[in-house]
């Protein structure tokens, strides 16, 4: 019997799956802002078969872009130029904000290239970096590229524990408790129906902290 391929031969990370409203909630970026980023002069390139939905790659791009712009005061015009430069320097990369290990220094965007950084905002100059990346550290990568996103459950990323994850291979890419397949939406529905945090923690064999973070994720 032939093995069923859930996504065919397509990378699940590149399938359009997140409507704007849903993507805005997961990335903490307003819908209107996301609409600008995917508009006539897109910073984020949607899949060819998208009718306005973001892929997981796009979701990570929006998450990173939101952190770069709003937490490091980088104007959209500069980010657009930076993304173009990233694509020029790395032509094999379709989604540089998701695929490449980025960091920021001042108002410049940098690409991590082994022992040094390329200063993208200054036309490819080399720079040295030792910058903490509270947003980018929430994007988990393997040798094959980005695999999981830990969305924010609080405004301050340094105070937002990595207990909730979005993985396109789990629960069709909807938020779940990390290390499990338990969707945060299911927990939230049960909580709204009257179940307590303690009851949910016992039923699913998770900690109260994990349940509370799941509820925060949905409340966002």
């Amino acid at each position: 019997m032939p093995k069923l391929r859930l996504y065919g031969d397509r990378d699940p990370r590149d399938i359009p799956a997140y409507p704007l409203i849903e993507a805005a909630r997961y990335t903490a970026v307003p819908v209107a802002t996301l609409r600008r980023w995917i508009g006539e002069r897109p910073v984020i390139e949607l899949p060819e078969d998208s009718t306005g939905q973001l892929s997981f790659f796009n979701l990570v791009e929006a998450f990173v872009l939101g952190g770069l712009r709003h937490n490091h005061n980088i104007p959209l015009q500069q980010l657009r130029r930076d993304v173009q430069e990233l694509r020029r320097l790395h032509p094999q990369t379709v989604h540089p904000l998701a695929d490449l290990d980025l960091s920021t220094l001042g108002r410049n965007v940098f690409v991590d290239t082994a022992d040094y950084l390329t200063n993208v905002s200054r036309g490819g100059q080399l720079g040295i970096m030792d910058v903490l990346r509270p947003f980018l550290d929430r994007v988990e990568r393997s040798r094959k590229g980005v695999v999981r996103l830990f969305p924010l459950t609080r405004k301050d990323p340094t105070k937002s524990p990595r207990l909730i994850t979005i993985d396109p291979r789990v629960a069709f890419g909807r938020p779940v408790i990390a290390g499990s397949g338990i969707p945060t939406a299911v927990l939230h529905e049960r909580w709204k129906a009257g179940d307590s945090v303690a009851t949910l923690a016992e039923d699913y064999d998770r900690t109260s902290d994990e349940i509370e973070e799941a509820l925060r994720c949905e409340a966002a």
Side-chain angles (χ1 to χ4, degrees):
M1 182 176 179
K3 184 178 180 180
L4 176 65
R5 292 180 179 271
L6 185 60
Y7 302 103
D9 292 322
R10 189 170 183 180
D11 188 333
R13 298 172 297 178
D14 199 37
I15 295 175
Y18 303 94
L20 280 180
I21 292 178
E22 192 174 0
R25 182 159 61 91
Y26 296 158
T27 61
V29 174
V31 171
T33 302
L34 282 178
R35 191 173 285 115
R36 286 185 61 199
W37 291 349
I38 66 173
E40 292 183 3
R41 299 180 59 200
V43 182
I44 297 174
E45 298 280 355
L46 300 182
E48 291 184 0
D49 60 340
S50 172
T51 56
Q53 302 96 337
L54 279 69
S55 68
F56 177 74
F57 281 134
N58 297 148
L59 198 70
V60 174
E61 290 177 298
F63 182 79
V64 172
L65 192 59
L68 289 173
R69 188 181 182 198
H70 298 297
N71 291 274
H72 298 280
N73 299 315
I74 301 175
L76 178 59
Q77 293 83 355
Q78 179 179 321
L79 283 173
R80 184 178 284 114
R81 292 193 299 268
D82 289 339
V83 171
Q84 291 173 348
E85 182 69 4
L86 286 171
R87 288 177 177 143
R88 185 188 69 81
L89 293 171
H90 301 269
Q92 79 286 357
T93 301
V94 179
H95 305 285
L97 292 175
D99 291 339
L100 301 174
D101 192 5
L102 302 176
S103 187
T104 59
L105 185 60
R107 293 169 67 86
N108 298 302
V109 178
F110 291 80
V111 187
D112 192 348
T113 55
D115 297 329
Y116 58 85
L117 292 177
T118 301
N119 186 333
V120 176
S121 299
R122 296 181 180 176
Q125 297 176 10
L126 297 183
I128 300 173
M129 87 81 163
D130 184 17
V131 180
L132 295 177
R133 300 173 292 180
F135 274 79
L136 300 172
D137 285 346
R138 305 184 73 85
V139 179
E140 187 174 285
R141 293 176 171 82
S142 69
R143 291 183 178 180
K144 295 183 179 180
V146 60
V147 291
R148 291 199 298 178
L149 170 67
F150 293 87
L152 297 177
T153 52
R154 295 171 173 80
K155 290 184 178 180
D156 186 347
T158 64
K159 296 180 180 179
S160 186
R162 292 161 54 109
L163 297 179
I164 307 301
T165 185
I166 296 175
D167 184 331
R169 303 162 300 180
V170 179
F172 295 98
R174 268 53 195 177
V176 298
I177 292 179
S180 80
I182 305 170
T184 58
V186 170
L187 297 171
H188 191 246
E189 286 299 318
R190 286 192 56 180
W191 177 76
K192 287 196 302 181
D195 285 338
S196 67
V197 170
T199 297
L200 292 171
E202 182 177 357
D203 285 355
Y204 289 95
D205 194 23
R206 312 306 299 191
T207 67
S208 295
D209 286 344
E210 289 174 317
I211 301 298
E212 289 174 356
E213 287 307 304
L215 298 180
R216 285 194 181 93
C217 178
E218 290 299 315

